[in-house]
Amino acid sequence: MPETNPTVVVLTALPLEYAAVRAHLADREEDVHPEDGTRVETGRLDGTSWTVALAELGEGVDNAAAMTTQLIGWLRPQAVLFVGIAGSLKGDIGIGDVVVGTKVYGIHGGKWTPQGFLSRPEAWRASNALVQAARSAVRDMTDVRPHFKPIASGDVVLADAASEIARHLREHYNDAAAIEMEGSGAAHAAHLNGQLHALVIRGISDRADAGKADADAGGSQERAAVQAAKVAVAVLRKHRPRGGSPDSQEGPQHGSGNRNTYGGDHIDLRGGTFHGPVTVKRVGKP
């Protein structure tokens, strides 16, 4: 892995999702973990200082959680994005739209009682910095119809709008706009790693109903993956790495450029390497 540039990990579940993101990366190289054999493809995103580590995890919440944890421990990224496809849960969110997950629900927590299923919801909120970057990015993307909504995540493929699980989602996760299979696992892994920024971005490939098979056969999954990848790349062009890089967003910023401006007398030690003493002047009361 390159050591000079900050790293963002972009996670996908399916080959078509992987391919959609991969198309945006230059100077790609494959890296293999020396112990467990986990593989990522690293590349450069033009116009940014990011090193993007792209991984294909396969399907499922548990798998996503385990693999995301491995990748975070190995690569120590500043941010994690899960990019892929999902089914729509709302009538006004159509195929080809993109849902940026403001939070991700784990939908299977609960307790069965004689009175029925009692939900015990768990949710992970997205990084505010990444959501704000996404809101800014999509304003100029005339070919993308974005929605900033919660996403439901669980080990289920929903292809029946009249099913018990569909009713469960309407009753207990009524604000969820899309359903997918990995986001909660990745979000939970990122949450356990403190200040790591995380965001789930999903292109809509079907309406989570009986028409799913026909939509998939018509190429909707590929289209949805391409749209989600476009938004993910736009987010990374807006969200600047922290610390040490020329386009760092740490500290107060004024004006239109990337230059940081600070008020008052100060010494800025961030990103520096020092050999020997540093002499400073103290003013005012200690």
Side-chain angles (χ1 to χ4, degrees):
M1 285 290 299
E3 297 181 356
T4 56
N5 289 347
T7 300
V8 56
V9 170
V10 177
L11 306 171
T12 65
L14 303 174
L16 60 89
E17 299 165 344
Y18 187 97
V21 177
R22 188 176 190 256
H24 293 273
L25 303 182
D27 303 328
R28 299 188 304 269
E29 296 181 358
E30 189 172 64
D31 289 292
V32 184
H33 192 284
E35 296 178 2
D36 61 35
T38 300
R39 293 175 182 263
V40 298
E41 195 168 17
T42 62
R44 177 175 51 83
L45 183 60
D46 287 338
T48 78
S49 59
W50 289 112
T51 292
V52 178
L54 179 59
E56 182 184 334
L57 306 185
E59 298 179 37
V61 169
D62 290 344
N63 185 61
M67 292 297 292
T68 302
T69 299
Q70 282 184 298
L71 290 168
I72 290 171
W74 174 26
L75 303 175
R76 300 297 179 186
Q78 288 192 14
V80 172
L81 273 63
F82 208 112
V83 181
I85 62 176
S88 173
L89 295 175
K90 300 294 184 183
D92 61 342
I93 299 179
I95 293 174
D97 290 4
V98 175
V99 177
V100 178
T102 53
K103 59 183 172 183
V104 180
Y105 290 121
I107 64 173
H108 290 308
K111 177 182 181 181
W112 281 106
T113 73
Q115 292 76 38
F117 184 77
L118 304 179
S119 291
R120 294 179 176 177
E122 193 163 16
W124 298 266
R125 290 195 174 274
S127 157
N128 178 64
L130 292 180
V131 171
Q132 288 295 308
R135 290 187 187 277
S136 175
V138 299
R139 290 179 190 133
D140 296 320
M141 300 179 72
T142 58
D143 58 341
V144 173
R145 189 165 181 260
H147 306 269
F148 290 81
K149 300 286 185 181
I151 292 174
S153 181
D155 282 320
V156 60
V157 175
L158 183 55
D160 181 3
S163 65
E164 178 66 21
I165 185 65
R167 183 191 63 78
H168 173 73
L169 291 172
R170 287 191 295 269
E171 290 183 359
H172 300 285
Y173 302 93
N174 186 258
D175 59 344
I179 182 168
E180 45 93 304
M181 297 179 64
E182 296 84 24
S184 61
H188 184 56
H191 169 74
L192 294 178
N193 281 269
Q195 300 302 311
L196 187 63
H197 292 290
L199 186 66
V200 177
I201 301 172
R202 294 286 182 169
I204 298 300
S205 61
D206 60 80
R207 292 187 175 276
D209 59 12
K212 174 175 170 52
D214 289 340
D216 292 350
S220 64
Q221 290 187 335
E222 288 79 3
R223 178 187 172 197
V226 167
Q227 293 296 90
K230 282 182 184 179
V231 173
V233 167
V235 169
L236 293 179
R237 294 192 189 283
K238 287 284 185 178
H239 180 68
R240 298 170 187 160
R242 63 178 181 270
S245 63
D247 58 350
S248 172
Q249 67 177 8
E250 286 192 344
Q253 296 184 6
H254 306 283
S256 58
N258 289 334
R259 184 178 178 182
N260 292 339
T261 304
Y262 303 87
D265 294 330
H266 72 283
I267 294 180
D268 185 358
L269 303 179
R270 294 171 306 157
T273 302
F274 301 91
H275 302 280
V278 176
T279 303
V280 300
K281 178 183 177 181
R282 175 181 291 173
V283 295
K285 295 181 179 181

